[in-house]
Amino acid sequence: MFKRRRKRNREEKKMESSAVCSCIPLTYPIGPSRHFPFHQSPFLVKPSRSLSLKLIPNHFPLSPLNLLESSSPLKSSATLSDSYSETITDIEWDNLGFGLQPTDYMYIMKCARGGTFSKGELQRFGNIELNPSAGILNYGQGLFEGLKAYRKQDGNILLFRPEENGLRMQIGAERMCMPSPTVEQFVEAVKDTVLANKRWVPPPGKGSLYIRPLLMGSGPILGLAPSPEYTFLIYVSPVGNYFKEGLAPINLIVEHELHRATPGGTGGVKTIGNYAAVLKAQSEAKAKGYSDVLYLDCVHKKYLEEVSSCNIFVVKGNVISTPAIKGTILPGITRKSIIDVARNQGFQVEERLISVDELLDADEVFCTGTAVVVSPVGSITYHGKRVSYGDGIGVVSQQLYTALTRLQMGLTADEMNWTLELR
């Protein structure tokens, strides 16, 4: 009888163990990682020395290499290895567009409401889990940023003004009732993520590594209130040109009925809702053959604001004008940089109200943004009237584009102290 009881106890413990294991979700399929050769460990990565990072076992894909090696170095608190793959991925860089290319690692850091961000970690890139009542899903409590990394001729990598993105996220977080990483934490997290995905940075002149930091209310909340928990996340993707035209004139249509932002709203911060609001007008414009939409102010309906995801500039003689930042327009970092570059090159730059009539009488028009850098405008259509600006890329657009991109790629001396080099 005692033998039967011991046997039954062993069987019950075995069943309990199986039940526990059956509750552990496998986020990734059991098979080789599509980003690594079968013989190469997917755990080879070199973080910067700024942060102590740890790998969480169940956040990584299981492959035959992991399953068959009984002497696997992976433990519950294994630190990242000091070696990593230097091999650039096998991508047709000349055909690289602006789309998501899954890479190797993403960065995640969390904190509770009223708390501070303190510790982040690199995890394999993949889906994340959110409660259906998460603040980001129900009330849109979230921000994002965008910046780029470029590979230099010597193989080192340059970041362009990452501290400006960190500062803008802090300002946006305050408006959206969210805690935010410090500027220092933001920059260090960007550095770690880029270095972990170093092999995805395109060769010089073939594109850039687009970096997308996210800050969101990830905790569950049913009533309208700030989320109880927040997640800061960074993922990256190699990209080419944003517009299919590349560095070629784009064609815009002025939207006079739908509006992107209102005074007192959130148009001046990079909250996610600002972008969902432009999808209808943008989709209709593209269906008609236009590249994008230019929005007017919602009060007078005659002053320029911005394109869906870009700031707008108008050139007349030696004067370059752009709408002033007054709460409804995003303070673009490329916009800020172009203003400084233009002034250094002898242009007079004005930040002020610009009427649509001035736009139609301009010598040249161009857009700026992280994704597009500088994009010349070939034509503007307003109330059915189409105005064209020359046959090709404007002289000023080309001059400013060349000056800024050469600085971003490390081809000219950085006298502005805007770039951060990673080795």
Side-chain angles (χ1 to χ4, degrees), residues 247 364 374 393-403:
L247 184 61
E364 194 176 329
V374 174
I393 302 171
V395 174
V396 176
S397 301
Q398 181 69 71
Q399 182 176 335
L400 296 177
Y401 171 84
T402 300

PDB file of all heavy atoms in Angstrom, residues 247 364 374 393-403:
ATOM      1  N   LEU A 247      15.055  61.136 -53.648  1.00  0.00           N
ATOM      2  CA  LEU A 247      15.357  62.564 -53.668  1.00  0.00           C
ATOM      3  C   LEU A 247      14.889  63.114 -55.020  1.00  0.00           C
ATOM      4  O   LEU A 247      15.664  63.409 -55.921  1.00  0.00           O
ATOM      5  CB  LEU A 247      16.841  62.845 -53.465  1.00  0.00           C
ATOM      6  CG  LEU A 247      17.198  64.341 -53.373  1.00  0.00           C
ATOM      7  CD1 LEU A 247      16.496  64.990 -52.192  1.00  0.00           C
ATOM      8  CD2 LEU A 247      18.705  64.535 -53.280  1.00  0.00           C
ATOM      9  N   GLU A 364      10.474  78.109 -54.390  1.00  0.00           N
ATOM     10  CA  GLU A 364      10.823  76.723 -54.089  1.00  0.00           C
ATOM     11  C   GLU A 364      10.158  76.321 -52.777  1.00  0.00           C
ATOM     12  O   GLU A 364       9.960  77.153 -51.892  1.00  0.00           O
ATOM     13  CB  GLU A 364      12.344  76.616 -53.971  1.00  0.00           C
ATOM     14  CG  GLU A 364      12.913  75.223 -53.985  1.00  0.00           C
ATOM     15  CD  GLU A 364      14.441  75.246 -53.970  1.00  0.00           C
ATOM     16  OE1 GLU A 364      15.038  76.205 -54.518  1.00  0.00           O
ATOM     17  OE2 GLU A 364      15.025  74.296 -53.388  1.00  0.00           O
ATOM     18  N   VAL A 374      15.415  65.839 -46.273  1.00  0.00           N
ATOM     19  CA  VAL A 374      14.905  66.986 -47.029  1.00  0.00           C
ATOM     20  C   VAL A 374      14.254  66.443 -48.286  1.00  0.00           C
ATOM     21  O   VAL A 374      14.871  65.671 -49.030  1.00  0.00           O
ATOM     22  CB  VAL A 374      16.031  67.976 -47.412  1.00  0.00           C
ATOM     23  CG1 VAL A 374      15.485  69.076 -48.324  1.00  0.00           C
ATOM     24  CG2 VAL A 374      16.648  68.598 -46.160  1.00  0.00           C
ATOM     25  N   ILE A 393      14.888  69.101 -58.883  1.00  0.00           N
ATOM     26  CA  ILE A 393      15.170  69.443 -57.490  1.00  0.00           C
ATOM     27  C   ILE A 393      15.621  70.897 -57.417  1.00  0.00           C
ATOM     28  O   ILE A 393      16.491  71.330 -58.178  1.00  0.00           O
ATOM     29  CB  ILE A 393      16.273  68.526 -56.930  1.00  0.00           C
ATOM     30  CG1 ILE A 393      15.834  67.058 -57.053  1.00  0.00           C
ATOM     31  CG2 ILE A 393      16.588  68.870 -55.491  1.00  0.00           C
ATOM     32  CD1 ILE A 393      16.932  66.078 -56.738  1.00  0.00           C
ATOM     33  N   GLY A 394      15.023  71.673 -56.515  1.00  0.00           N
ATOM     34  CA  GLY A 394      15.396  73.065 -56.352  1.00  0.00           C
ATOM     35  C   GLY A 394      16.826  73.223 -55.863  1.00  0.00           C
ATOM     36  O   GLY A 394      17.365  72.353 -55.163  1.00  0.00           O
ATOM     37  N   VAL A 395      17.434  74.336 -56.232  1.00  0.00           N
ATOM     38  CA  VAL A 395      18.826  74.586 -55.860  1.00  0.00           C
ATOM     39  C   VAL A 395      18.996  74.628 -54.341  1.00  0.00           C
ATOM     40  O   VAL A 395      19.935  74.045 -53.788  1.00  0.00           O
ATOM     41  CB  VAL A 395      19.308  75.916 -56.484  1.00  0.00           C
ATOM     42  CG1 VAL A 395      20.714  76.257 -55.983  1.00  0.00           C
ATOM     43  CG2 VAL A 395      19.285  75.840 -57.995  1.00  0.00           C
ATOM     44  N   VAL A 396      18.098  75.309 -53.640  1.00  0.00           N
ATOM     45  CA  VAL A 396      18.196  75.428 -52.192  1.00  0.00           C
ATOM     46  C   VAL A 396      17.970  74.069 -51.523  1.00  0.00           C
ATOM     47  O   VAL A 396      18.694  73.689 -50.600  1.00  0.00           O
ATOM     48  CB  VAL A 396      17.202  76.474 -51.657  1.00  0.00           C
ATOM     49  CG1 VAL A 396      17.246  76.533 -50.128  1.00  0.00           C
ATOM     50  CG2 VAL A 396      17.497  77.846 -52.248  1.00  0.00           C
ATOM     51  N   SER A 397      16.974  73.332 -51.984  1.00  0.00           N
ATOM     52  CA  SER A 397      16.697  71.997 -51.435  1.00  0.00           C
ATOM     53  C   SER A 397      17.926  71.105 -51.561  1.00  0.00           C
ATOM     54  O   SER A 397      18.321  70.419 -50.611  1.00  0.00           O
ATOM     55  CB  SER A 397      15.514  71.347 -52.154  1.00  0.00           C
ATOM     56  OG  SER A 397      14.349  72.116 -52.035  1.00  0.00           O
ATOM     57  N   GLN A 398      18.523  71.098 -52.747  1.00  0.00           N
ATOM     58  CA  GLN A 398      19.700  70.261 -52.984  1.00  0.00           C
ATOM     59  C   GLN A 398      20.867  70.693 -52.115  1.00  0.00           C
ATOM     60  O   GLN A 398      21.577  69.854 -51.536  1.00  0.00           O
ATOM     61  CB  GLN A 398      20.099  70.346 -54.455  1.00  0.00           C
ATOM     62  CG  GLN A 398      21.304  69.491 -54.826  1.00  0.00           C
ATOM     63  CD  GLN A 398      21.014  68.002 -54.756  1.00  0.00           C
ATOM     64  OE1 GLN A 398      20.278  67.464 -55.584  1.00  0.00           O
ATOM     65  NE2 GLN A 398      21.590  67.320 -53.770  1.00  0.00           N
ATOM     66  N   GLN A 399      21.059  71.997 -51.993  1.00  0.00           N
ATOM     67  CA  GLN A 399      22.174  72.523 -51.199  1.00  0.00           C
ATOM     68  C   GLN A 399      22.047  72.139 -49.733  1.00  0.00           C
ATOM     69  O   GLN A 399      23.011  71.682 -49.109  1.00  0.00           O
ATOM     70  CB  GLN A 399      22.213  74.050 -51.354  1.00  0.00           C
ATOM     71  CG  GLN A 399      23.350  74.728 -50.620  1.00  0.00           C
ATOM     72  CD  GLN A 399      23.382  76.233 -50.886  1.00  0.00           C
ATOM     73  OE1 GLN A 399      22.904  76.703 -51.919  1.00  0.00           O
ATOM     74  NE2 GLN A 399      23.933  76.984 -49.948  1.00  0.00           N
ATOM     75  N   LEU A 400      20.851  72.284 -49.172  1.00  0.00           N
ATOM     76  CA  LEU A 400      20.646  71.966 -47.755  1.00  0.00           C
ATOM     77  C   LEU A 400      20.654  70.459 -47.506  1.00  0.00           C
ATOM     78  O   LEU A 400      21.172  69.986 -46.490  1.00  0.00           O
ATOM     79  CB  LEU A 400      19.340  72.588 -47.265  1.00  0.00           C
ATOM     80  CG  LEU A 400      19.290  74.121 -47.289  1.00  0.00           C
ATOM     81  CD1 LEU A 400      17.923  74.620 -46.844  1.00  0.00           C
ATOM     82  CD2 LEU A 400      20.386  74.711 -46.402  1.00  0.00           C
ATOM     83  N   TYR A 401      20.082  69.705 -48.435  1.00  0.00           N
ATOM     84  CA  TYR A 401      20.084  68.245 -48.321  1.00  0.00           C
ATOM     85  C   TYR A 401      21.519  67.717 -48.289  1.00  0.00           C
ATOM     86  O   TYR A 401      21.883  66.890 -47.442  1.00  0.00           O
ATOM     87  CB  TYR A 401      19.316  67.621 -49.481  1.00  0.00           C
ATOM     88  CG  TYR A 401      19.434  66.115 -49.561  1.00  0.00           C
ATOM     89  CD1 TYR A 401      18.604  65.294 -48.795  1.00  0.00           C
ATOM     90  CD2 TYR A 401      20.384  65.501 -50.394  1.00  0.00           C
ATOM     91  CE1 TYR A 401      18.713  63.903 -48.855  1.00  0.00           C
ATOM     92  CE2 TYR A 401      20.495  64.126 -50.452  1.00  0.00           C
ATOM     93  CZ  TYR A 401      19.660  63.327 -49.689  1.00  0.00           C
ATOM     94  OH  TYR A 401      19.779  61.961 -49.748  1.00  0.00           O
ATOM     95  N   THR A 402      22.329  68.196 -49.217  1.00  0.00           N
ATOM     96  CA  THR A 402      23.722  67.743 -49.294  1.00  0.00           C
ATOM     97  C   THR A 402      24.492  68.104 -48.034  1.00  0.00           C
ATOM     98  O   THR A 402      25.230  67.269 -47.475  1.00  0.00           O
ATOM     99  CB  THR A 402      24.406  68.370 -50.527  1.00  0.00           C
ATOM    100  OG1 THR A 402      23.703  67.967 -51.710  1.00  0.00           O
ATOM    101  CG2 THR A 402      25.861  67.932 -50.620  1.00  0.00           C
ATOM    102  N   ALA A 403      24.309  69.327 -47.559  1.00  0.00           N
ATOM    103  CA  ALA A 403      25.037  69.774 -46.365  1.00  0.00           C
ATOM    104  C   ALA A 403      24.672  68.933 -45.147  1.00  0.00           C
ATOM    105  O   ALA A 403      25.547  68.513 -44.383  1.00  0.00           O
ATOM    106  CB  ALA A 403      24.738  71.251 -46.103  1.00  0.00           C
TER     107      ALA A 403
END
